[in-house]
């Protein structure tokens, strides 16, 4: 069974601080997607990474896919209260180079940024 | 920006009754998915659908569940005889293709409450 473990589960920081959340597995994934979910809403896609070692930036958010495609990290620089939310990673199960298949989700990191 | 829409937002049903959850995927998308999220737990894959047939399903998706694309726009999930443990948020997602770099876009979900 493929599992994605996210850490930390909860994170409470002050505005302006930097943070990193992690998504780890013992299995290889064809892709890794990061979502943000607000209460009562569906996951909203932030980024998709596909290539081992890939780094993508989205304003103050930096996403990295591990070289072996088993882990990923999300780094937020100078966090703001608007960054508060649940951050989910999800691994694509399909064969590399082929179909993505279904997504396996982590339990998420609940981030709270205090002003 | 196009989005996945789901109706109803909340469905309350007596145990043993049939329910149909409806989704309108993004119009040029070809792959469709259902996921569920039991309160406090991770998002779990149920089924994927392509070219008018199921392409993959999880062990959760037993004979009580079925999916259908009755016309060119709707994608439905039917639970034939609901159980208490079916209470969850049900999310529909779609992607343009099944390729590894193609992200899955989620709707805001239907909260299903079984009494």
């Amino acid at each position: 069974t493929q599992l994605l473990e996210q850490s930390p589960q909860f994170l409470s920081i002050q505005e302006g601080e930097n943070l990193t959340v992690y998504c780890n597995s013992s299995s290889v994934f064809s892709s890794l997607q990061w979502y943000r979910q607000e209460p009562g809403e569906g996951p909203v896609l932030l980024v998709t990474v596909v290539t081992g070692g890939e780094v993508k930036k989205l304003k103050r958010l930096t996403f990295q896919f591990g070289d072996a495609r088993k882990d990923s990290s999300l780094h937020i620089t100078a966090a703001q209260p608007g960054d508060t939310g649940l951050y989910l990673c999800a691994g694509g199960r399909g064969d590399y180079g082929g179909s993505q298949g279904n997504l396996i989700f982590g339990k998420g990191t609940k981030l709270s940024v205090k002003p | 920006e196009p989005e996945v829409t789901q109706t109803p937002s909340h469905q309350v049903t007596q145990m043993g009754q049939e329910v149909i959850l409806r989704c309108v995927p993004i119009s040029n998308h070809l792959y469709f998915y259902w996921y569920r999220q039991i309160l406090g737990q991770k998002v779990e894959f149920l089924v994927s659908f392509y070219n008018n047939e199921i392409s993959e399903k999880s062990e959760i998706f037993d004979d009580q569940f079925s999916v259908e694309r009755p016309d060119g726009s709707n994608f439905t999930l039917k639970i034939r005889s609901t159980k208490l443990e079916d209470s969850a948020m049900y999310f529909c997602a779609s992607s343009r293709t099944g390729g590894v770099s193609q992200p899955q876009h989620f709707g805001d979900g239907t909260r299903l409450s079984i009494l």
Side-chain angles (χ1 to χ4, degrees):
Chain A
T1 303
Q2 291 176 296
L3 290 173
L4 274 171
E5 301 291 338
Q6 285 191 246
S7 62
Q9 210 174 336
F10 301 96
L11 188 56
S12 181
I13 61 172
Q14 291 297 128
E15 182 176 1
E17 291 183 10
N18 301 332
L19 67 113
T20 302
V21 300
Y22 300 93
C23 179
N24 295 298
S25 176
S26 58
S27 303
V28 175
F29 288 94
S30 58
S31 66
L32 206 295
Q33 301 182 12
W34 283 92
Y35 292 85
R36 182 172 150 182
Q37 186 179 23
E38 302 294 342
E41 297 180 10
V44 175
L45 181 72
L46 296 174
V47 78
T48 299
V49 286
V50 177
T51 308
E54 183 175 2
V55 176
K56 279 192 174 177
K57 288 184 186 286
L58 187 67
K59 296 183 182 177
R60 294 176 294 101
L61 277 59
T62 302
F63 305 85
Q64 183 161 11
F65 201 11
D67 291 341
R69 301 194 339 270
K70 292 182 180 181
D71 53 83
S72 182
S73 63
L74 158 60
H75 181 81
I76 302 179
T77 304
Q80 297 175 3
D83 296 326
T84 294
L86 180 67
Y87 290 83
L88 300 170
C89 66
R93 252 191 1 102
D95 296 331
Y96 182 68
S99 168
Q100 181 181 118
N102 68 70
L103 293 177
I104 294 183
F105 278 82
K107 279 188 107 172
T109 292
K110 196 164 184 179
L111 173 65
S112 173
V113 182
K114 297 183 181 353
Chain B
E1 186 174 322
E3 56 183 29
V4 175
T5 56
Q6 290 185 242
T7 55
S9 56
H10 191 188
Q11 173 82 44
V12 182
T13 301
Q14 291 287 331
M15 186 173 59
Q17 296 295 306
E18 174 185 287
V19 292
I20 297 176
L21 310 182
R22 301 180 193 280
C23 169
V24 178
I26 294 173
S27 63
N28 64 346
H29 285 191
L30 301 176
Y31 286 75
F32 314 115
Y33 311 84
W34 283 101
Y35 292 81
R36 79 171 186 191
Q37 186 176 31
I38 294 172
L39 188 64
Q41 298 187 23
K42 59 177 75 174
V43 177
E44 301 173 289
F45 168 74
L46 293 177
V47 66
S48 58
F49 191 87
Y50 169 69
N51 201 26
N52 279 320
E53 60 183 29
I54 290 173
S55 47
E56 192 170 3
K57 60 184 181 180
S58 73
E59 58 192 27
I60 302 169
F61 194 88
D62 61 23
D63 292 344
Q64 295 298 317
F65 291 86
S66 62
V67 289
E68 193 178 28
R69 188 152 162 83
D71 52 44
S73 59
N74 289 284
F75 179 51
T76 62
L77 173 69
K78 182 193 290 188
I79 308 175
R80 190 151 51 92
S81 178
T82 50
K83 303 189 274 283
L84 291 175
E85 54 264 39
D86 293 328
S87 295
M89 282 290 287
Y90 287 81
F91 293 108
C92 173
S94 68
S95 61
R96 196 164 60 83
T97 73
V100 294
S101 63
Q102 288 298 313
Q104 295 183 22
H105 296 267
F106 284 73
D108 278 343
T110 292
R111 180 174 299 283
L112 179 62
S113 299
I114 307 300
L115 304 179

